[in-house]
Amino acid sequence: SFTAAATASSGLAVSYASSGVCSNVGATYMMTSGTGTCSVIATQAGNSSYSAAPQVIKTVKAATATQTITFTTAPPSSAAYKTSFNVAATASSGLAVSYGSSGSCSNVGPAFTMTSGTGTCSVIATQPGNSNYSAATTVTKTVAATVAAQTITFTTAPPATAGYKTSFTVAATASSGLAIGYTSSGSCSNSGATYTMTSSTGTCSLILNQSGNSNFSAAPKGTNPLSATTAAQTITFTTTPPATAAYKTTFT
């Protein structure tokens, strides 16, 4: 908006009007478009002593208005791999804001998903303007990528006890989908996920680990103890005695 002022040499009051890309209330004018020309019209109709004054018109060239973008829901300062967050932003023009991304994230509209556990995600808000508003200055917020936590879960658990020289196989998965490492201590040994009891006393510790990578932190080490027990045994004749034997005979 702007205000005009004019005087008539007669001292009579000047009237104001407008045409083109503006409107007015008295001497106060408001631009109604960002393109075209506003005509500021001043008139004085005269009276019994003065004839009407020649109309005076001043022109004002319309220009697009500036606009700014403000985040109403800002992104977090950091976010873990594969996690998602939403943002929201408004333009002072009232026009819709568009969202983009670069770096360690992707987006669908205002919904962003972290695609890496390292680097930086750029959350980009733009508004290109229209015939009334010039393009807003792009606003970029950054989010530091962090590694995601992971856990280990047995899908085939070990027995509570196991006898000397017996073997069993376990299975486990990491929530990250990364491969599990298997080790042992105490009364057992292992080859991968297959464990063999090496003693009939003490405790066998099954140790599961996943060391992580650039996207996942190391999982808390899983240790599952089981008690060693004596192994069962049976007796088998390799040379059986005869079905009958005479008095004073001998057999082995």
Side-chain angles (χ1 to χ4, degrees):
S1 298
F2 59 88
T3 301
T7 59
S9 59
S10 63
L12 298 173
V14 173
S15 296
Y16 301 91
S18 59
S19 67
V21 294
C22 59
S23 62
N24 73 293
V25 176
T28 300
Y29 288 75
M30 177 174 288
M31 301 300 291
T32 57
S33 176
T35 57
T37 302
C38 161
S39 293
V40 176
I41 305 166
T43 60
Q44 212 308 304
N47 60 11
S48 59
S49 299
Y50 290 92
S51 59
Q55 189 179 70
V56 178
I57 299 175
K58 297 290 187 180
T59 58
V60 180
K61 184 179 179 180
T64 53
T66 60
Q67 58 172 328
T68 57
I69 294 172
T70 303
F71 274 94
T72 54
T73 301
S77 59
S78 63
Y81 173 60
K82 282 192 173 180
T83 61
S84 298
F85 57 86
N86 289 324
V87 299
T90 59
S92 58
S93 63
L95 299 174
V97 173
S98 296
Y99 301 93
S101 59
S102 67
S104 304
C105 60
S106 62
N107 75 293
V108 177
F112 289 75
T113 300
M114 301 300 291
T115 55
S116 176
T118 58
T120 300
C121 159
S122 292
V123 176
I124 305 165
T126 59
Q127 213 307 306
N130 61 10
S131 60
N132 292 326
Y133 288 92
S134 57
T137 300
T138 297
V139 178
T140 301
K141 300 285 187 180
T142 57
V143 180
T146 61
V147 291
Q150 60 170 325
T151 56
I152 296 173
T153 303
F154 273 105
T155 54
T156 301
T161 61
Y164 173 58
K165 285 192 175 181
T166 61
S167 296
F168 56 88
T169 300
V170 299
T173 58
S175 58
S176 63
L178 299 173
I180 301 294
Y182 300 88
T183 57
S184 58
S185 67
S187 303
C188 60
S189 62
N190 75 293
S191 176
T194 299
Y195 289 75
T196 300
M197 301 302 292
T198 56
S199 176
S200 61
T201 59
T203 300
C204 162
S205 292
L206 284 70
I207 305 168
L208 279 60
N209 61 80
Q210 211 310 305
S211 57
N213 61 11
S214 60
N215 291 327
F216 289 93
S217 59
K221 187 174 291 186
T223 302
N224 197 315
L226 62 97
S227 298
T229 62
T230 54
Q233 60 175 325
T234 58
I235 297 174
T236 303
F237 276 101
T238 56
T239 302
T240 58
T244 61
Y247 175 59
K248 287 194 175 182
T249 60
T250 300
F251 59 85
T252 301

